[in-house]
Amino acid sequence: MNRVTFVILHYMAESATAECINSLIKNLAYPNFQMVVVDNGSSNRSFAHLKESYEDQSNLTFIDNDENLGFAQGNNLGYQYAKIKLKSDFIVMLNNDTEITQSDFCDIALNIYRERQYAVLGPDIITLDGAHQNPMPQKSWSSFRLRVFQFKTWLRFVDSKFLDLGPIIEKQINMHRLSLQSQRQVDEMDGARLHGACWIFSPKYVERFEGINPNTFLYMEEDLLKMAMDRFGLKMIYSNKLRILHKENVSTNFGKMSTRSQNQQFLRRLLSSINVCISYFNTEGKNS
């Protein structure tokens, strides 16, 4: 029987991570699933509390990590443990602010793999206000478009230092994004750009890769994964046969920074991620 391992990245938010773990323990009927919870440098006692709460859960492993490595490298710690130590066939990267209620979640993912031979599968991700985050809007990146996006983001960063109009603009962007998410309902899609709250990696991916691109801290991981799958000719598929609840941004909301400082941090990290995408895109072009 195939082993399915769920990798959950924890940062500060004890109750959210516990609710995610509990949803798997309570609801999944699949007998051969494991859970790996990775701490991402939490400065409170939340991770210690979680380990105490689940010390008798035999299919749950906790990985201590004193440093906040960001989304990609933090998840990769759990992914590599799942691949190397647990010999997992399927690895699911699952945000700690999500819950799974389908008892046959693993069975459905395996059945779709047998039929479609995907590398990465994404479920229907439903937010608390009913928006559907998958499949994400398609983006046809080119080196030129990435550099235009980089320049616009840099202008937003400069604005955050002086006029600080960014939050007003961001509010309008988010309203438009929510509108698009609510309208975006399809049964299945090949070549989909998949939201990072839940990625299901099949043996076609696990046997070939040691995780996701490790060079970002946060943001644009979805774009880099799509670039990589296109580059290697591997399938990314969305299916609404799978569903998860996404409560959103539980871990990123921790901290004592002002809204303005949070916006500046977001833009700095976004600029860094755009640079990674440009570098990857240019390397891809040279190797094609």
Side-chain angles (χ1 to χ4, degrees):
M1 176 178 282
N2 288 301
R3 170 162 286 180
V4 180
T5 298
F6 292 82
V7 174
I8 302 166
L9 187 61
H10 169 77
Y11 180 70
M12 306 287 275
E14 180 180 345
S15 61
T17 301
E19 288 167 5
C20 180
I21 294 170
N22 291 340
S23 77
L24 300 178
I25 295 171
K26 177 183 176 181
N27 296 316
L28 291 184
Y30 192 76
N32 192 19
F33 83 91
Q34 295 282 325
M35 296 168 286
V36 177
V37 178
V38 181
D39 188 37
N40 214 14
S42 300
S43 58
N44 56 13
R45 291 267 307 155
S46 58
F47 197 63
H49 293 160
L50 288 168
K51 289 195 291 184
E52 292 167 4
S53 298
Y54 296 97
E55 60 183 357
D56 296 327
Q57 189 70 35
S58 60
N59 63 338
L60 175 54
T61 301
F62 288 97
I63 298 178
D64 288 277
N65 176 37
D66 294 333
E67 180 185 356
N68 188 345
L69 299 174
F71 179 86
Q73 290 188 38
N75 270 304
N76 283 349
L77 283 180
Y79 177 101
Q80 289 158 14
Y81 185 92
K83 176 177 178 174
I84 298 167
K85 296 291 186 180
L86 298 179
K87 310 295 183 185
S88 304
D89 302 290
F90 290 78
I91 299 175
V92 184
M93 282 188 186
L94 187 67
N95 273 20
N96 71 325
D97 57 359
T98 63
E99 293 183 26
I100 291 177
T101 58
Q102 289 175 288
S103 62
D104 55 354
F105 185 92
C106 296
D107 299 285
I108 293 172
L110 270 59
N111 286 337
I112 295 173
Y113 177 68
R114 283 189 281 268
E115 295 170 2
R116 307 294 302 279
Q117 294 293 296
Y118 62 81
V120 190
L121 175 66
D124 188 5
I125 301 174
I126 306 169
T127 65
L128 291 172
D129 57 8
H132 297 261
Q133 295 181 303
N134 259 346
M136 297 178 74
Q138 296 292 78
K139 290 184 179 179
S140 299
W141 288 119
S142 65
S143 182
F144 173 75
R145 287 176 177 171
L146 282 167
R147 291 196 180 279
V148 170
F149 183 41
Q150 180 186 48
F151 179 67
K152 289 180 178 179
T153 305
W154 178 80
L155 288 178
R156 289 171 64 191
F157 180 73
V158 172
D159 164 72
S160 73
K161 294 283 190 179
F162 300 101
L163 298 176
D164 198 29
L165 297 175
I168 299 173
I169 298 170
E170 192 67 27
K171 182 178 179 180
Q172 297 302 314
I173 292 172
N174 286 337
M175 288 175 63
H176 178 63
R177 186 182 295 129
L178 284 172
S179 175
L180 290 175
Q181 288 174 351
S182 298
Q183 298 168 17
R184 195 165 61 245
Q185 297 184 47
V186 296
D187 294 339
E188 229 173 54
M189 180 184 289
D190 287 0
R193 182 168 164 261
L194 299 173
H195 195 288
C198 181
W199 287 323
I200 303 163
F201 297 107
S202 80
K204 285 189 176 293
Y205 189 100
V206 174
E207 291 168 7
R208 190 165 186 171
F209 301 100
E210 301 307 312
I212 59 176
N213 191 306
N215 296 314
T216 58
F217 187 89
L218 190 62
Y219 308 119
M220 297 195 75
E221 289 82 9
E222 293 95 345
D223 299 274
L224 283 162
L225 182 60
K226 181 69 166 62
M227 288 179 193
M229 295 302 93
D230 289 346
R231 178 177 186 171
F232 291 102
L234 295 172
K235 287 185 181 180
M236 292 184 76
I237 292 178
Y238 159 77
S239 175
N240 70 352
K241 293 178 182 177
L242 294 167
R243 300 179 304 278
I244 71 167
L245 173 68
H246 188 200
K247 292 172 280 188
E248 290 196 282
N249 300 326
V250 169
S251 293
T252 55
N253 285 339
F254 271 86
K256 299 179 180 179
M257 291 188 295
S258 66
T259 302
R260 186 170 188 172
S261 295
Q262 287 179 346
N263 187 46
Q264 290 172 2
Q265 182 186 75
F266 158 71
L267 292 168
R268 277 194 299 268
R269 289 175 175 172
L270 181 57
L271 282 167
S272 176
S273 294
I274 295 170
N275 285 333
V276 174
C277 288
I278 291 172
S279 177
Y280 186 86
F281 192 91
N282 289 339
T283 302
E284 177 184 358
K286 291 175 183 177
N287 292 341
S288 60

